[in-house]
Amino acid sequence: MTTEKLQALLDSMTIREKVGQLVQCNAGQFIQNDMEITGPEGELLPAEDLNRVMGSVLTFEDAAQAKALQDRHLAADPKKIPLLLMLDVIHGLRTTYPIPLAMGCSFDDDLMAECADMARKESAVCGVHVTFNPMVDTARDARWGRILETSSEEPLLNSRMGAAVVRATQGEDLSRPENVACCVKHFAAYGAPEGGRDYNTVDLSERTLREAYLPAYKACLDAGARLIMPSFNALNGIPSVANRWLMNRVLREEWGFNGVVISDYNAVGELVTHGVAENLKDAVRLSMLAGCDIDMVRNAYYLYLEDLVRDGVVPEEMLDQAVLRVLKLKNELGLFENPYHGADEEAEKKLYLCPAHREIARRAAEESAVLLKNEGILPLSDRIRKAALIGPFADERHLVGFWSRPGAWKDAVTLPEGIQALLPDLELIIERGCGAEIGDTDESGIDRAVEAARSADAVILALGEPENDSGEGRSRATLTLPGPQMTLARRVLAANPNTAVILFNGRPLELTELDELAPAILEMWYPGTEAGNAAARLLFGRANPCGKLSAGLPRSVGQYPMPYNRMNTGRPKPQPDSQAFPFTSCYLDTPNLPLYSFGHGLSYTTFSYESLTLDRTVMRPEESVRVTIRVRNTGSGAGKEVVQLYLRDPVASVVRPVQQLIDYRKISLEPGEVKEVAFTVTEEQLRFWDFDCSFRSEPGTFELSTGYADHLLLTRTFVLQ
Ligand code: GLC
């Protein structure tokens, strides 16, 4: 439809019809045939009218439902304005790849794009027009259960992963039925709740907000994301959905975003609970004036916006702008001409879980696994005849994470299935050891498990955290392995030292004691559909681990928040990071550094960093510095290494981090092979938010290092003039 026709359509609409475009309902209420709607507050709303006026729905299951929803709406809507169909596709629709926090550990933008492209294909044939993805909330506190849903604690890594997802999901032309629009979320700083407790208040300086939390949203909008979702939390005293500084000043004015803003689930209604709105009608006023276009599910706009416009409280011109943004998105998706977009039941059957998609998911699971520790145990030898597979994840299928699609876990390959497929002749003894459910306190099976360990050539100790202990509303005040898993681990590790631990979890865990006892630990996170196949290939050396931590692992939950890009303070604790040092910034009972730092990860081979050289030591602002890092594979096997480049600005008008990742690249090296990785550092990468929050660089000396956080090597300095 042309812009003129779109404007003509808008001009022809009644206020009620315009309001309808800003109403999003839960599709489930229309898929059943009971045509009575119960809103969150228990209002019974007339479904027929809602179905006639609403502009979008969320959460449906497949192409058939998508078509039925569209048909039912278009039959009732006199203006024949097609619905937008939206869905949370966070890390795969039916073929599930690893959770985003794991994908961040791959440090591989191209692999991220490949996974997102696979999810796009499956989403499109399912009938999805908009996915509520990527989620790019920087998370520096693993008590927050949604840390699994973001790529990293690191703004640059989060930005590049998020942008890769947007480009791969939206493609070049949204009107093509195979492309899907992205809604980046949750704007802003939802990942910084006080106490790590979901939905809790967020209070940050503008500098920290701009430095650590806003960049990733901006990167996704710069990559072309068409929608953005304000977050539930209050940000510096004002809930995001009503926060005019955030939504008008930053989003619309500074960043020039002219796409659609959609609230989070009932977030408009929660303004009353937050205590900034007298009642639901007041909440609608605040949300509209702040620029929230669509009210997700609360029906608050449906109930009160028309009156607010007729009473002049909300200018009709503001309503028109919001509605036009929604109509433009529908038009860009080609929905007026093709309301089904990509929905295709036949294609669903061919694409879902197809071998090509499984291969991508398996590769992603292998590349996002992190080998934390390995004292000669891994890879396990093919010569072993009998292995004991012990622990609550020994034969668990829930390996896909909180934000996988309902039922996706049933398609996951378990650890024994993967191992037996790889090594059919290997005798496997399987003992959960502690109860039927992960986290059970039942210790009655531990004796049998220990016996199994004692009798085996090798032990795979499969531990972790129940899938439902991370994700939305799943914050924890402790981060230890739930239930008697450590009791099991102590006894099994004592019974057979040839034991490798494999972990399945959705957040960084507190592994301090396990790390002291276990000779090898492989972190798998929630690897998705191909979990068992990927784990088997890693454990038996068909794949070589190459993941690097996208968030540090704590020694104690008491260390949080524990950002790797920390400030030096006036009293830094001197290294080594072992004992307390009086009157410095340290704990009496715990070292400062993480157990394993951001960017850490081992391989079955070894690498040496031979040199870091700069092509100049003085740089004018319009110039750049070329950094060359030589890396050698000094081991006996091929492997991949993530070469990381860190910056330090030791003197500036405000305190600057002791280390800040400014670039990375993943390389493959054959045994003995040497490669040179070149990075270009520009003046823009030296900028920061200074004392009056302007974004600029300052002349002075800068340090460039490689290695990984807290373990920097080969530092060289240059001067910016
Ligand atoms: C949830 C989440 C959000 C999701 C939305 C729709 O509450 O906060 O991430 O996209 O509702 O399911």
Side-chain angles (χ1 to χ4, degrees), residues 377-391 394-395 415-420 422-432 448-462 492 496 498-500 502 535-536 539-540:
I377 301 291
L378 291 173
L380 298 174
S381 161
D382 282 16
R383 289 191 303 279
I384 61 171
R385 305 313 318 149
K386 182 160 72 169
L389 194 40
I390 294 173
D395 58 356
L415 202 43
E417 288 166 349
I419 294 171
Q420 296 291 218
L422 186 69
L423 300 168
D425 299 336
L426 175 66
E427 184 188 349
L428 263 186
I429 316 165
I430 300 174
E431 291 289 349
R432 277 192 164 232
R448 272 169 56 101
V450 171
E451 277 320 302
R454 199 165 280 128
S455 69
D457 304 323
V459 178
I460 299 163
L461 187 52
V492 164
N496 189 330
N498 192 25
T499 295
I502 187 166
L539 288 168
F540 288 90

Side-chain angles (χ1 to χ4, degrees), residues 55 72 130 153 163 165 175 258 277 281 300 303 463 558 620 699 719:
R72 176 182 288 169
V130 174
E153 67 161 297
V165 168
S175 70
N258 58 8
K281 186 171 185 178
L303 292 167
L463 307 174
R620 287 196 297 275
V719 172

Side-chain angles (χ1 to χ4, degrees), residues 24 58-59 87-88 90 131-133 135 146 149 183 185-186 190 199 229 232 263-266 296-297 403 405 472:
Q24 178 172 85
L58 83 156
T59 311
L87 188 65
D88 290 289
I90 310 300
T131 174
F132 296 120
N133 196 42
M135 186 275 219
R146 296 192 78 163
E149 202 180 334
C183 175
K185 64 189 186 183
H186 306 80
Y190 178 36
Y199 314 118
M229 182 191 293
F232 288 120
S263 82
D264 204 337
Y265 204 100
N266 186 29
M296 182 190 285
V297 171
W403 276 108
R405 295 307 314 154
E472 182 171 353

Side-chain angles (χ1 to χ4, degrees), residues 122-361:
E122 294 191 1
S123 302
V125 298
C126 173
V128 179
H129 303 158
V130 174
T131 174
F132 296 120
N133 196 42
M135 186 275 219
V136 291
D137 302 323
T138 298
R140 299 169 145 181
D141 187 334
R143 292 174 295 178
W144 187 52
R146 296 192 78 163
I147 192 171
L148 97 158
E149 202 180 334
T150 189
S151 300
S152 176
E153 67 161 297
E154 211 306 311
L156 175 76
L157 183 54
N158 240 352
S159 299
R160 285 176 46 174
M161 288 282 153
V165 168
V166 171
R167 287 190 294 268
T169 306
Q170 296 194 154
E172 296 302 320
D173 173 2
L174 277 178
S175 70
R176 295 181 60 84
E178 68 270 17
N179 291 332
V180 174
C182 282
C183 175
V184 65
K185 64 189 186 183
H186 306 80
F187 189 59
Y190 178 36
E194 287 179 358
R197 200 171 69 242
D198 204 358
Y199 314 118
N200 202 5
T201 198
V202 172
D203 220 279
L204 294 167
S205 70
E206 183 179 342
R207 177 179 307 109
T208 301
L209 183 64
R210 289 182 177 278
E211 189 108 347
Y213 292 89
L214 295 186
Y217 307 113
K218 178 75 166 49
C220 291
L221 296 180
D222 290 347
R226 295 302 196 276
L227 302 92
I228 193 165
M229 182 191 293
S231 52
F232 288 120
N233 56 281
L235 174 61
N236 298 337
I238 304 173
S240 299
V241 76
N243 194 315
R244 295 190 208 182
W245 176 83
L246 186 69
M247 301 249 279
N248 292 342
R249 166 78 184 283
V250 174
L251 181 65
R252 299 286 189 198
E253 292 163 23
E254 267 185 52
W255 293 357
F257 178 64
N258 58 8
V260 173
V261 174
I262 179 169
S263 82
D264 204 337
Y265 204 100
N266 186 29
V268 172
E270 289 175 9
L271 292 178
V272 180
T273 318
H274 273 288
V276 293
E278 281 292 332
N279 49 44
L280 204 48
K281 186 171 185 178
D282 197 29
V284 171
R285 176 183 66 82
L286 290 170
S287 304
M288 275 299 289
L289 294 180
C292 178
D293 297 325
I294 296 177
D295 164 22
M296 182 190 285
V297 171
R298 185 59 188 81
N299 296 326
Y301 281 25
Y302 174 81
L303 292 167
Y304 299 106
L305 184 50
E306 183 176 2
D307 289 349
L308 286 166
V309 173
R310 292 192 187 287
D311 297 345
V313 176
V314 172
E316 185 164 359
E317 198 264 336
M318 183 176 282
L319 172 66
D320 288 353
Q321 285 172 352
V323 173
L324 195 54
R325 286 191 282 264
V326 174
L327 294 177
K328 281 182 176 174
L329 177 59
K330 294 183 177 184
N331 196 39
E332 189 180 3
L333 282 159
L335 296 181
F336 288 99
E337 294 75 26
N338 172 18
Y340 290 166
H341 199 53
D344 181 337
E345 295 90 325
E346 284 316 304
E348 282 181 303
K349 293 177 192 137
K350 291 188 198 114
L351 267 180
Y352 291 169
L353 299 169
C354 67
H357 287 186
R358 280 186 174 275
E359 190 276 335
I360 293 168

Side-chain angles (χ1 to χ4, degrees), residues 634-685:
T634 48
S636 55
K640 294 181 180 178
E641 175 68 343
V642 178
V643 181
Q644 304 164 46
L645 183 65
Y646 290 84
L647 173 78
R648 182 172 187 180
D649 183 355
V651 179
S653 57
V654 296
V655 294
R656 305 294 303 129
V658 299
Q659 56 202 353
Q660 177 191 348
L661 183 75
I662 58 168
D663 211 339
Y664 58 86
R665 189 157 327 125
K666 191 171 204 173
I667 59 173
S668 299
L669 288 170
E670 292 303 315
E673 187 180 6
V674 177
K675 276 187 180 170
E676 292 198 339
V677 177
F679 296 106
T680 299
V681 177
T682 64
E683 177 271 334
E684 189 173 347
Q685 287 170 285

